[in-house]
Amino acid sequence: MLEARSIAEAHLYLEIQVCETCNLRWDGSQHSLRTLGDRPVAVYSVSCSSCGAQRQWEFLMPREPFPPGPLGGTEPSKIMDPGEFHAASDVYFALARDAVEQAVPGEYEKVAILLRRSIHALAEVPKFIPPAEDRVPAELIVSEVGRASYLRNPDRFVRDRIEHEIQDLVDLLHRHLPGADPVD
C-alpha cells in the first residue's frame, strides 16, 4: 500500500502511471474509500482502453483531511521521486503552452490551472534536497521516468535552478492572469 500525503498527490501519482502491457496512460478510474484502523484508504481501480488491462492502487491517506500545501506538507513524498515531480511539471507546462495557443485572450483559466499544477509539482523537488546540500542527490531518483528526467539535464535538480524555474512559472501565470495566486 502506498502512503500518500494528500488526495492531490495520489491523483498526480496516478496521472503519471502507464499500463505495463502497452505503455499507455490508464483511464476509466473508479474510486472508493475504506478505512484501515483510524486512517482512510483511497482505492483507485483503473483500466487500459487499449489492451483492457486492469489495475488497482490503494493509498493510505493522512489522518488530517487537508494537509498543508497543494500536494501535502513539508516532507518529501514517499510515493514519487523528485524526477517524477520534475517530469510532471514539464508535462503540465507543455499542456499550458498548448492551451495558451488555443485560448481566447482574457479566458486563460485552463492555462492558469495547468501552470499551477506545474508550479506545485516543481515545488516538490526541493523537498528532496538535504539541508546542507544544493541539489537533489542522484540516488534519490529511482523511477524510470525520474531517471530519464534527471539524465536529460541534471542541472535542473539544483536548488537555485528550481527556484528560478518556479519564479518563471509564477511570472507566466501572472502574465496571463494578473493577480492570480499560484497556490490555488
Side-chain angles (χ1 to χ4, degrees):
M1 184 175 317
L2 301 168
E3 188 171 354
R5 297 171 298 162
S6 67
I7 288 289
E9 182 182 43
H11 286 187
L12 180 57
Y13 178 88
L14 291 172
E15 287 179 26
I16 67 170
Q17 302 306 308
V18 294
C19 174
E20 294 87 0
T21 305
C22 61
N23 208 35
L24 294 176
R25 299 242 180 260
W26 294 99
D27 50 29
S29 73
Q30 294 181 354
H31 175 253
S32 63
L33 287 172
R34 65 181 182 84
T35 57
L36 181 64
D38 64 343
R39 304 263 309 264
V41 176
V43 181
Y44 292 88
S45 300
V46 296
S47 59
C48 178
S49 60
S50 176
C51 70
Q54 296 185 350
R55 175 94 193 257
Q56 183 172 296
W57 279 280
E58 294 183 339
F59 297 92
L60 184 63
M61 303 306 294
R63 286 179 185 87
E64 59 187 70
F66 302 105
L71 293 173
T74 58
E75 296 298 315
S77 176
K78 294 179 181 177
I79 62 174
M80 293 175 64
D81 72 30
E84 290 173 309
F85 282 113
H86 223 307
S89 176
D90 290 346
V91 168
Y92 284 129
F93 174 74
L95 291 171
R97 186 184 58 235
D98 293 346
V100 164
E101 294 172 6
Q102 298 171 5
V104 175
E107 296 182 12
Y108 289 111
E109 194 54 41
K110 180 179 179 181
V111 174
I113 290 167
L114 293 166
L115 285 173
R116 284 184 187 109
R117 288 181 179 174
S118 181
I119 292 164
H120 298 165
L122 191 55
E124 291 298 313
V125 178
K127 294 177 184 179
F128 291 88
I129 301 174
E133 296 184 33
D134 70 338
R135 67 186 61 235
V136 173
E139 62 271 11
L140 296 181
I141 303 171
V142 296
S143 68
E144 188 175 320
V145 168
R147 283 191 304 271
S149 179
Y150 182 81
L151 291 174
R152 271 193 300 279
N153 190 345
D155 290 340
R156 291 186 72 203
F157 291 82
V158 174
R159 185 185 315 274
D160 290 344
R161 173 85 181 262
I162 297 164
E163 290 170 0
H164 181 75
E165 286 186 32
I166 290 171
Q167 188 57 54
D168 286 349
L169 289 168
V170 170
D171 292 347
L172 188 59
L173 174 64
H174 289 154
R175 190 172 323 135
H176 293 292
L177 258 91
D181 185 354
V183 180
D184 286 345

